[in-house]
Amino acid sequence: MTSLQHVNPRVRGIRVSPQSVLQSLAERKRKKKKIGVQKPFQEVIDLSSGDPHRAGMKPVSFIRQVLAACLYPELLEDESVPLDVRLRAQRLLEDCAGGSVGSYTPSSGLLHVRQSIAEFITRRDFGVPSYTKNIYISSGSHRALMVIVKLLASGEEEARTGVLTPMPCPHTLPTLLDEAGVTLVPYRLIEERGWAVDLEELHRAVTTARGRCQPRAIYISNPGNPTGHVQTRESIEEVIRFAAAERLLLFVDEVYQDSVIGLDREFISYKRVLFEMGKEYADTVELVSSHSLSCTCIGECGQMAGYMEIINMDPEVTHFVDTMLCTDISAPVTGQLALDLMLKPPKPGDTSYDTYTQEILLTLTTLSQNAQRALELLNDLPGMSCQPVMGGIYVYPHLYLPSEFREEAKTLEVEADVLYCQKLLKEERVLVGAGHHGGATSSHHLRLCILVPCDTMEKVLARLCSFHLRLMDGHCGPERSVKDKNNQKRS
Amino acid sequence: MTSLQHVNPRVRGIRVSPQSVLQSLAERKRKKKKIGVQKPFQEVIDLSSGDPHRAGMKPVSFIRQVLAACLYPELLEDESVPLDVRLRAQRLLEDCAGGSVGSYTPSSGLLHVRQSIAEFITRRDFGVPSYTKNIYISSGSHRALMVIVKLLASGEEEARTGVLTPMPCPHTLPTLLDEAGVTLVPYRLIEERGWAVDLEELHRAVTTARGRCQPRAIYISNPGNPTGHVQTRESIEEVIRFAAAERLLLFVDEVYQDSVIGLDREFISYKRVLFEMGKEYADTVELVSSHSLSCTCIGECGQMAGYMEIINMDPEVTHFVDTMLCTDISAPVTGQLALDLMLKPPKPGDTSYDTYTQEILLTLTTLSQNAQRALELLNDLPGMSCQPVMGGIYVYPHLYLPSEFREEAKTLEVEADVLYCQKLLKEERVLVGAGHHGGATSSHHLRLCILVPCDTMEKVLARLCSFHLRLMDGHCGPERSVKDKNNQKRS
């Protein structure tokens, strides 16, 4: 029998995110409910990860209709199905081998879909050209990142590949880097500046890392997961110049590009900025940018498809991207087709145009309202403060926990924000994520997905506020709960 | 810019299967056709991999209808959709978070589907119990294997993990083992005995390997890909005893379990045999068996879902299977639901029962007829002989190529069977796979998927026979082409 000592040491070394632990706990609560052990609140509401359909957001009808028709082509003859849906499904099926979504696709994805992606990028970037040959479809942006990181992974000790990683970062990222066998090189985002990327901090990170590992890439999430920050053009230029000077591959996760809600910001892609900085950068900086179906307006997380565009990589090296995609599994065909639909939505005049436009607008309005409402309420609580949300689908409040609570966590050998989430789950049946800074700082945060129906958001905020006030009261005594909030935050 | 020297040495060392090269060639031919450069035959027919829908096989209506309704729940109200389809879709959606196939699932898959899988296995194995906790859904059986192999991978040189691998094996397997960083330990299947597994050969393989690496697992494909062999109960018992004695994890790919067409064989699962061998084996031999949507009767390769059942693994070790599945991507939700439908088909009395039964029967009849027809024609050709097909979806004929042809291949630095496939593709626009023996023997084979519509099979066989006879004639001169076939085979 395989014993623990035979397990791949790298696999044994994979850090388990606190998220997994919390989710198992939530799962047990759900099961208890099923077997009839009731609590005052019926359902566990889970806002800990970016999974909008789970929380009750609705899918985009057009996408679902076309996919249904692709799966079951008899619908192509059904006149109750909108004409543009049927035409689109027919067109997509023509590009599937044997006219079926049940056949394999090339490992980098369906050619037709890759063409649609390149056209979308070119439109989005006001004419900066994108070429089909640079587009690789994968089973989501996480998987795209895995391919790139594995490509670069090599060496041990000080020769080991390092990847500059923001703190905070998407909670799945440290695990991914562990599995790929590269060193996580943390760089702090600056909370007081709305979680902006700071050039000096990047320099500090890369300088400190040298000698400890070989930094070869930098990961950026823009709009920020979980920070909600959206970079300015100047900030993007800084990062590009930094990557160029340090000869780092730049991996930009741009999954939430469709959801900038800060009034003074817009989404500008790294690709576009790179090209507008002139040939010195446009022709040299190695850039990989990713996008996926789990973006804001679509939220089709369960359909597992995304893409990456790779710029300025040596063809000898991209050859191995192909090799890796061959050994990896392809994105499911329906997911690939959904990408096409996401990036080539109905046009004015098409039967589905109005419904489509209304659905997208409703999603963005919901997101924007939830962000505003969450900020209002959370910033009003003692011991909590939250940076503005400019984009993305999370709020990421800072917790200033009473020292007694922090001591309790220490005794239990758990991070204080994880303990907070456990208690919140137990008492209010709300699951939110605990901040992840990979031990880089001792500050504590919560991560809440705000892409949920407004009434769900209200319920969650009410339960969270009630729990939080109880916690602060219980630990500080009633006389301290009304204390000046700013004083407490400094504690 | 990342240079070749920075690419992960393990990635650089991945062997590219000749299949990739042949498929790129076929792709170029297809493109030429699209831009109007016509050849006498219009379409390239690709039978090189197990991709039945590509070749024109039809999907199972019930599965597609339920999936369409899950994607687009308005169909639940549509009375033209069969009642059992609507009820089933409703039931499946209840188990998806938020009632949507767009939400994430737990990393080992939807609980409800895992339960269905365990029930299916218990029924299939005449009551040998299967437990939900042992079932892990993955993005196909290839991915399941990758998880297990990565789990076991460790060490370098003589401490490196080795995996006993049949020759011939599925063409994707050597690449997978390379990527995982384990040593392929070949064991020959015995062609003259219909590609049976030979116990002495297993002993030879493991003994030779010790000192060169640490054999920790054995991979078996039953029914055999690409051999078409189906193991007898005795043969399975032998392998189990061997694995027990050598303390090897036994990974059995049983994807084609639904397609035994040899009259004197039936499919018996390793799990069942293991349990019927008594506690000495049933409680100790570590067994992982896999199955997937790309099986014969369903053929939904593009939907990317499968499962594995893990028996007798130390819970401390299975913990890391969970960890690895967490870092891997989950199977798409629609794929997971399709697994449920595949393993719990309509029952007598259900509206869809008759259609379902007819469709499955048609598939199996087609397969059986094609196998018979292919064997008849191929065994009649000079310089070709083919073992009987007992199950699975391939024929795997042996090529006895003229020495001039083999010389030509040598000059071109390509395997003779790969050159054969290239010429066949060029001259007849038929793509078949070249045999893969990983350099273990110098014999040459072709791999043809026979799960295709009968008329397609006829077309392919006609073109293949015509090409083959021309080739034999060209190289041997007309007087030799009518030579006694058996003599030539001995050459």
Side-chain angles (χ1 to χ4, degrees), chain B residues 186-217:
Chain B
Y187 66 90
R188 274 185 311 110
L189 301 173
I190 311 303
E191 181 163 11
E192 311 80 73
R193 284 165 38 211
W195 297 109
V197 181
D198 181 68
L199 189 61
E200 272 182 44
E201 172 60 13
L202 293 181
H203 281 298
R204 186 208 55 77
V206 80
T207 311
T208 320
R210 294 230 154 86
R212 214 165 52 82
C213 67
Q214 297 288 335
R216 292 211 196 288

Side-chain angles (χ1 to χ4, degrees), chain A residues 2 8 51 53-54 64-65 71-72 100 102-104 139 143 150-151 153 175 179 286 301-302 327 329 333, chain B residues 2 8 51 53-54 64-65 71-72 100 102-104 139 143 150-151 153 175 179 286 301-302 327 329 333:
Chain A
T2 306
N8 187 340
D51 194 0
H53 290 198
R54 169 182 300 269
R64 290 299 191 84
Q65 287 171 319
L71 271 161
Y72 190 55
S100 168
S103 50
Y104 287 116
S139 316
R143 207 65 210 163
K150 278 208 179 144
L151 186 80
T175 315
E179 206 221 315
E286 221 169 353
C301 303
T327 70
I329 56 146
V333 179
Chain B
T2 307
N8 188 340
D51 194 358
H53 290 199
R54 171 183 299 267
R64 290 301 189 85
Q65 285 170 322
L71 271 161
Y72 190 55
S100 167
S103 50
Y104 287 116
S139 316
R143 206 66 209 162
K150 278 209 181 148
L151 186 80
T175 314
E179 207 221 315
E286 221 169 354
C301 304
T327 69
I329 56 147
V333 180

Side-chain angles (χ1 to χ4, degrees), chain A residues 341-357:
Chain A
L341 298 165
M342 161 175 116
L343 303 176
K344 251 163 84 175
K347 287 197 283 283
D350 292 348
T351 326
S352 305
Y353 180 74
D354 288 346
T355 309
Y356 174 83
T357 313

